Amino acid sequence: MLKLLGDRPLGARDAPVVEQVLATDPVAMCMVAARFEVHGITPRLLGGEMWSAADPVTSLCFSGANLIPLIGSPDDLDYFADRAIAAPRVCSSVVGRAELVMPMWEQLELAWGPAREVRATQPLLALPGPPAVRSD
């Protein structure tokens, strides 16, 4: 559907679905979810665009200072990589769950050149409650 509409970013009519998707994995999607919660889906306020290869329920990527694939099939990841390559590069990093980032990076690297560093096993940590000690 998005391809037929000229590869436009998702907009206000897509916001309820995007919000539901972001809530499905709040730890892994926290970087995007926090911005979305404060600024909504408008690219200028969000600091980037939300992309979908077809249906945001199953295909979602954030493109801003970081390129963050949130959910998607291998075909969706191909689409996100192709779309990122087709436009001037705006991101400094590709981050997110390794099973989504690494297949995208295989394609992006061909156009963008080698990464400064690849951390395919970087853990994402979360506290289950308030910290046990006071922060500095």
Side-chain angles (χ1 to χ4, degrees):
M1 289 185 231
L2 184 63
K3 293 175 186 176
L4 298 175
L5 296 173
D7 286 345
R8 61 159 185 76
L10 298 179
R13 68 178 169 73
D14 305 297
V17 172
V18 170
E19 184 175 24
Q20 290 173 355
V21 170
L22 294 173
T24 63
D25 193 349
V27 174
M29 298 184 189
C30 67
M31 289 175 58
V32 177
R35 294 195 62 80
F36 179 86
E37 185 177 302
V38 172
H39 302 290
I41 199 166
T42 304
R44 183 180 53 80
L45 300 174
L46 185 60
E49 297 177 342
M50 298 296 289
W51 297 344
S52 180
D55 181 355
V57 171
T58 59
S59 168
L60 193 61
C61 182
F62 175 79
S63 175
N66 294 302
L67 185 60
I68 308 172
L70 299 164
I71 56 171
S73 69
D75 287 341
D76 296 330
L77 299 175
D78 290 345
Y79 170 80
F80 298 146
D82 289 345
R83 185 166 177 176
I85 290 167
R89 184 173 175 181
V90 296
C91 70
S92 62
S93 301
V94 182
V95 299
R97 292 183 300 166
E99 65 268 19
L100 299 172
V101 169
M102 298 310 293
M104 273 184 64
W105 180 249
E106 288 176 10
Q107 293 182 58
L108 293 169
E109 184 175 30
L110 298 173
W112 290 355
R116 287 177 294 199
E117 183 176 6
V118 174
R119 291 184 255 171
T121 57
Q122 180 73 31
L124 180 61
L125 307 175
L127 290 172
V133 297
R134 200 178 90 228
S135 64
D136 291 342

